[in-house]
């Protein structure tokens, strides 16, 4: 059972453009929603995270939007740069703890 | 501060063999988790250890096991390897794994190929 669905699977954006990745979850017990960035040959690295009591969180060029009623959250990458080309994963977990349920990943390519 | 260290980086085994992977967490981190990453199934949680005790377990067969030592270093073992066990095995650590918003740090993984 895929509890976190992520779309699109891949994305091509021009330098300076906006990348948008969407995730939907099923388990209402989830209350921690991180996004990870993974480069080839490396493990995932935490990018930004949100809890459901907040509808939006911004850190630099990265913004998470959260819609609790729709059970959806999204990552926006503003002013996308070639160095942002990577695979992005959304995830969810119940409260504290490291048992993360990951989405399927989105491969982002930023063209110069 | 050194990051999460996993050894070996690459491993080739044949069906039926067993394998042991090693993980050294970031200094001071006491929670260690293991994940399997494959192109088909994505990232899947295997198990988590804290203070030498398994605290959480994913939906994997009993062939997958792990342990944690008193210095927080962890090993995972896969017995009777199957072709489908070919994957990138990722180790992640955090300070306690028991607090909200606690950051989880991943290693670069061990790429296991089963022939």
């Amino acid at each position: 059972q895929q509890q976190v669905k992520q779309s699109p699977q891949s994305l091509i954006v021009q330098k300076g453009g906006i990348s948008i990745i969407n995730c939907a979850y099923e388990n209402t017990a989830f209350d921690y929603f991180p996004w990870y960035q993974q480069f080839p040959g490396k493990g995932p690295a935490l990018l930004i995270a949100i809890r459901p009591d907040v509808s939006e969180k911004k850190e630099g060029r990265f913004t998470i939007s959260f819609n609790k009623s729709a059970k959806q959250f999204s990552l926006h990458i503003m002013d996308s740069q070639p160095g942002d080309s990577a695979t992005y994963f959304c995830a969810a977990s119940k409260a504290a703890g490291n048992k993360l349920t990951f989405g399927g990943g989105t491969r982002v390519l930023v063209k110069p | 501060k050194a990051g999460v260290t996993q050894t070996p980086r690459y491993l080739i085994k044949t069906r039926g063999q067993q394998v042991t992977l090693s993980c050294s967490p970031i200094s001071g981190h006491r929670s260690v988790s293991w994940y399997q990453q494959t192109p088909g199934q994505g990232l899947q949680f295997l198990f988590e250890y804290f203070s030498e005790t398994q605290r959480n377990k994913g939906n994997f067969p009993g062939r997958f096991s792990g342990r944690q030592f008193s210095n927080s270093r962890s090993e995972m073992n896969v017995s009777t390897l199957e072709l489908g066990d070919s994957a990138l095995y990722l180790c992640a650590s955090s300070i306690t794994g028991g607090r909200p918003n606690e950051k989880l740090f991943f290693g670069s993984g061990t790429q296991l190929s089963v022939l």
Side-chain angles (χ1 to χ4, degrees), chain B residues 51-83:
Chain B
S51 291
E52 303 177 65
T53 301
Q54 188 180 86
R55 187 161 63 178
N56 263 311
K57 190 177 186 306
N59 296 323
F60 279 82
R63 299 185 298 106
F64 292 81
S65 63
R67 60 177 175 168
Q68 187 180 33
F69 302 95
S70 58
N71 62 358
S72 294
R73 193 176 67 85
S74 177
E75 290 181 346
M76 70 162 281
N77 185 77
V78 188
S79 63
T80 320
L81 283 166
E82 300 177 0
L83 295 178

Side-chain angles (χ1 to χ4, degrees), chain A residues 36-102:
Chain A
Y36 284 84
Q37 179 189 56
Q38 185 177 28
F39 293 104
K42 299 291 185 184
L46 179 65
L47 203 55
I48 186 173
I50 198 168
R51 293 182 65 87
D53 52 347
V54 176
S55 61
E56 186 174 282
K57 183 175 181 180
K58 183 177 181 179
E59 288 185 2
R61 296 184 294 107
F62 301 93
T63 300
I64 300 179
S65 297
F66 188 86
N67 186 329
K68 188 174 181 178
S69 60
K71 293 187 286 184
Q72 295 176 346
F73 58 112
S74 61
L75 175 70
H76 293 226
I77 306 174
M78 314 299 285
D79 187 26
S80 296
Q81 299 297 311
D84 296 331
S85 296
T87 300
Y88 293 81
F89 293 92
C90 63
S93 70
K94 301 175 189 178
N98 294 330
K99 186 177 180 179
L100 292 170
T101 299
F102 282 89

Side-chain angles (χ1 to χ4, degrees), chain A residues 38 41 43-44 51 96-100, chain B residues 9 31 33 35 37 94 97-98 100 107:
Chain A
Q38 185 177 28
R51 293 182 65 87
N98 294 330
K99 186 177 180 179
L100 292 170
Chain B
R9 186 72 179 90
S31 169
S33 304
Y35 287 80
Q37 185 173 24
S94 67

